[in-house]
Amino acid sequence: MSDAAPRGAIQAEAESGGKGAVRTALAGLTTRGRSFLAAGVAAAVCAYVLGQSDLLRVGLLLAVLPLVCATVLYRTRYRVAGSRRLSPARVPAGSEARVHLRMDNVSRLPTGVLMLQDRVPYVLGPRPRFVLDRVEAGGRREVSYRVRSDLRGRYPLGPLQLRLTDPFGMCELTRSFSTYDTLTVIPRVEALPPVRLTGEASGYGDGRQRSLALAGEDDVIPRGYRYGDDLRRVHWRSTARYGELMVRREEQPQRSRCTVLLDTRALAFRGAGPDSAFEWAVSGTASVLVHMLERGFSVRLLTDTGSSVPGEGADGFAGTSQESADAAGLMMDTLAVIDHSDGTGLSHAYDVLRGGNEGLLVAFFGDLDEAQAAVAAKMSRRSGGALAFVLDSDTWTREPYDVPAAGNRTEERLRLLRESGWTAIAVPRGIALGDLWRQADRERSGGLGMADPGARGTARSTHPDPQPLTTRLTHGEVRS
C-alpha cells in the first residue's frame, strides 16, 4: 500500500516476493479456485495410483490453473487512486447524505474488473459495493451511494476497499486504502415561531443593558458631525480643537445574551432511541440555539456538569452574520455527540449561572427531585428571564393511565419553579417544540398581566404585557 497521492486521494498497488506473498495469494483463492485445486490434486493422485497418464495431465491442468491465476493477479501492479466526498458532511438526523467515490487509474496499463467496497457503520445502512468494468489507462470512474441515520453521532466512513479478481474467478485479493472520512449526524432542528424584537436591531437590549461610548467629560470619543445629528450632542471642546463640528457618539447597545441549559443526567432520563425524552431535549436545545443565533443574540450552551462548547467566549457565541454559521456548526457538533453524564445534581450549572448573566435562560430539565428542583429554582435569580421545559420520563416511557402519581409530582415541581420566577412548561410525549414555545408565550402574557406581589419576577402592572416572549424574557421584568 502507498499513500503518495494528494490529500483526499489514496493509491494501492500489489506487493511482491517472499513467503508472505505466497500465503496471501493462496488465501485469496475463491471457492471455485479451491475446488479446482482440490480436484486437480485428487485427479493427479488417482492417475498415479492407476497409472493413467491422460488423467494425470487433466489433474495437473486443474491444479495449476488457480495457482497461475493467483500468481498473475498478485503480481499485477495496479496503481489506482481513490477519493471520497461527502455532500453534506453535516446532516440532521433522519436526513440523507450522499457519498461520492472516485477512482482514477494512474498507471499506464488498463485494469481488469474491480469490485469497490466502502466500510460504513451498521446504523448508516448496508455496506455499499460496486463493480467497475475495465478502467483504461488514465481513466476515471465515479459512483455514489446514500447514507441515513435516525441517531445523531459521528460516524467514520472507510477505509475504502478495492477487490481484484481474475477473469476466471479463481482468486480475489483485497486492497484497503488508509484514509477515511467522518459523517456528523446532528440533532433535528425545528424552526421556532418568529419573534419581533423592539429596538434598532434584533438581539440588542433597549435600555437596561446599554453601555455608553463615553465615560465622562474628559473621556469623550467624538466623531464628525453628520447631517441629521441632534445639535444638543455637539461637543464644543472637540469642535474647537479639531476646527470642525464634532458630536458625542451615541450609546452603543450591548448585545443581549441567552444561555441554553441542557440537563444530561442519566438518572433524569429513561429510555433510548430517537423518540426518547433525552433525544427530544437535545433536539429542543439545538432548535433554541439556532433560533436565538438567528435573532442576533450571544448564545451560550451549558450542561448540568457546568461545561460548555470548546472555543466559546465568556458571553457565548455572537450571532453576527459572519460568525453565526460557524458558531451554530460548533454547537451542533457538540450536541451530535453529547451523552448522559454521571452527575446527580445541577449544582455545577448553578455555580456557573450565579456569576450573573443578566440574559435569557432557557432550560431543558429531566426528572427533578425536591432537592434539584430547589437548585433549579435559584437559577432564575440572576437571569433577565427564565423559561424551563420539564420532561417527566414516566410520561414518555409508560402509558398515561399507568402513572397517576407522576403527574402530581411534576405539577409540584412546576409550581416551585413558577413561584421562583420561571415560566415552566411540562413536555408531554410527541409534542412539537414550536407549540410549547407559543404556549410559553401565552402563559407569560397571562402571568405578567396578574398583579402578584408574592411571585418573584412578575410585573406590578395590571394590564397584560403585549411584547412577545423573547423580548420580555430578554429584557427582564419590573422588579421590586
Side-chain angles (χ1 to χ4, degrees):
M1 301 297 296
S2 170
D3 292 334
R7 184 177 182 182
I10 39 187
Q11 291 185 352
E13 63 180 31
E15 300 172 356
S16 61
K19 297 181 180 179
V22 176
R23 288 194 298 266
T24 302
L26 294 178
L29 290 176
T30 62
T31 302
R32 179 184 300 178
R34 295 176 187 273
S35 300
F36 268 66
L37 181 60
V41 172
V45 172
C46 292
Y48 177 77
V49 173
L50 300 176
Q52 298 291 330
S53 58
D54 294 337
L55 182 60
L56 178 61
R57 286 191 290 269
V58 173
L60 291 177
L61 176 62
L62 294 176
V64 169
L65 181 60
L67 297 178
V68 171
C69 291
T71 303
V72 173
L73 180 65
Y74 191 82
R75 294 184 63 85
T76 300
R77 291 182 176 271
Y78 289 120
R79 299 184 62 244
V80 181
S83 62
R84 183 190 298 105
R85 178 171 57 88
L86 304 181
S87 177
R90 184 187 292 118
V91 62
S95 300
E96 290 184 343
R98 183 172 289 274
V99 183
H100 301 269
L101 302 177
R102 171 178 163 178
M103 303 298 299
D104 294 279
N105 183 10
V106 297
S107 64
R108 298 180 179 180
L109 299 176
T111 69
V113 177
L114 305 177
M115 178 177 289
L116 191 63
Q117 176 178 278
D118 205 6
R119 299 184 61 181
V120 300
Y122 175 77
V123 70
L124 296 183
R127 181 173 297 182
R129 293 182 175 91
F130 305 93
V131 177
L132 304 180
D133 294 333
R134 177 178 178 272
V135 182
E136 64 278 5
R140 175 189 306 169
R141 296 291 185 272
E142 294 184 2
V143 294
S144 64
Y145 64 93
R146 296 179 179 179
V147 291
R148 179 181 181 274
S149 174
D150 292 327
L151 299 176
R152 56 186 175 80
R154 292 174 62 87
Y155 301 102
L157 301 179
L160 194 64
Q161 293 181 337
L162 192 63
R163 182 172 296 179
L164 313 176
T165 182
D166 65 282
F168 301 101
M170 298 290 181
C171 183
E172 289 183 352
L173 297 179
T174 301
R175 294 288 181 263
S176 295
F177 301 103
S178 58
T179 60
Y180 64 92
D181 294 281
T182 301
L183 175 68
T184 303
V185 180
I186 63 177
R188 295 183 180 92
V189 176
E190 179 181 349
L192 299 181
V195 179
R196 296 181 61 87
L197 300 179
T198 59
E200 55 184 344
S202 298
Y204 287 89
D206 60 352
R208 192 168 66 116
Q209 296 186 20
R210 288 180 181 267
S211 60
L212 297 179
L214 52 92
E217 190 67 22
D218 296 331
D219 191 22
V220 175
I221 306 177
R223 62 170 176 82
Y225 175 82
R226 298 172 186 171
Y227 179 77
D229 285 340
D230 191 347
L231 293 178
R232 290 175 296 182
R233 293 195 296 109
V234 173
H235 191 256
W236 298 109
R237 181 179 300 180
S238 299
T239 299
R241 178 180 178 182
Y242 293 103
E244 60 177 326
L245 204 57
M246 306 293 290
V247 297
R248 294 184 177 89
R249 292 184 181 272
E250 297 177 351
E251 294 179 350
Q252 302 296 323
Q254 180 178 341
R255 184 179 299 277
S256 297
R257 290 169 288 184
C258 175
T259 299
V260 183
L261 171 62
L262 175 61
D263 184 4
T264 63
R265 295 172 298 142
L267 55 83
F269 296 93
R270 289 192 296 273
D275 297 328
S276 63
F278 181 69
E279 292 301 323
W280 191 97
V282 174
S283 178
T285 300
S287 302
V288 173
L289 288 171
V290 172
H291 177 74
M292 302 310 293
L293 273 175
E294 292 176 349
R295 302 303 299 171
F297 284 70
S298 292
V299 180
R300 176 174 61 169
L301 172 62
L302 185 65
T303 66
D304 58 290
T305 61
S307 61
S308 57
V309 180
E312 187 178 89
D315 294 333
F317 289 107
T320 61
S321 57
Q322 296 83 2
E323 301 176 358
S324 58
D326 295 337
L330 287 174
M331 288 187 288
M332 292 302 105
D333 289 345
T334 300
L335 291 176
V337 297
I338 200 168
D339 202 354
H340 292 292
S341 68
D342 297 331
T344 58
L346 303 171
S347 57
H348 294 291
Y350 172 69
D351 292 339
V352 175
L353 292 173
R354 70 178 179 179
N357 187 298
E358 295 295 334
L360 171 64
L361 174 61
V362 181
F364 291 85
F365 292 122
D367 293 336
L368 296 174
D369 55 23
E370 186 175 356
Q372 301 312 315
V375 175
K378 295 187 294 184
M379 293 180 181
S380 64
R381 296 178 181 177
R382 299 306 299 270
S383 64
L387 171 61
F389 297 97
V390 182
L391 295 88
D392 189 345
S393 295
D394 288 336
T395 63
W396 282 74
T397 57
R398 303 179 185 177
E399 297 298 330
Y401 53 80
D402 292 335
V403 285
N408 297 333
R409 184 179 68 251
T410 302
E411 288 299 326
E412 179 64 23
R413 304 294 183 257
L414 293 176
R415 184 188 61 82
L416 178 60
L417 293 177
R418 288 164 181 164
E419 289 179 352
S420 62
W422 287 87
T423 299
I425 304 294
V427 180
R429 181 172 56 184
I431 194 170
L433 178 61
D435 297 335
L436 295 180
W437 192 264
R438 296 186 184 93
Q439 178 184 347
D441 190 8
R442 293 191 297 268
E443 291 192 9
R444 194 68 182 179
S445 298
L448 289 178
M450 301 172 55
D452 185 6
R456 186 189 184 281
T458 57
R460 299 297 184 183
S461 173
T462 57
H463 61 81
D465 187 351
Q467 296 182 359
L469 169 68
T470 307
T471 303
R472 292 193 304 275
L473 293 180
T474 303
H475 305 320
E477 301 84 27
V478 180
R479 301 177 184 269
S480 58

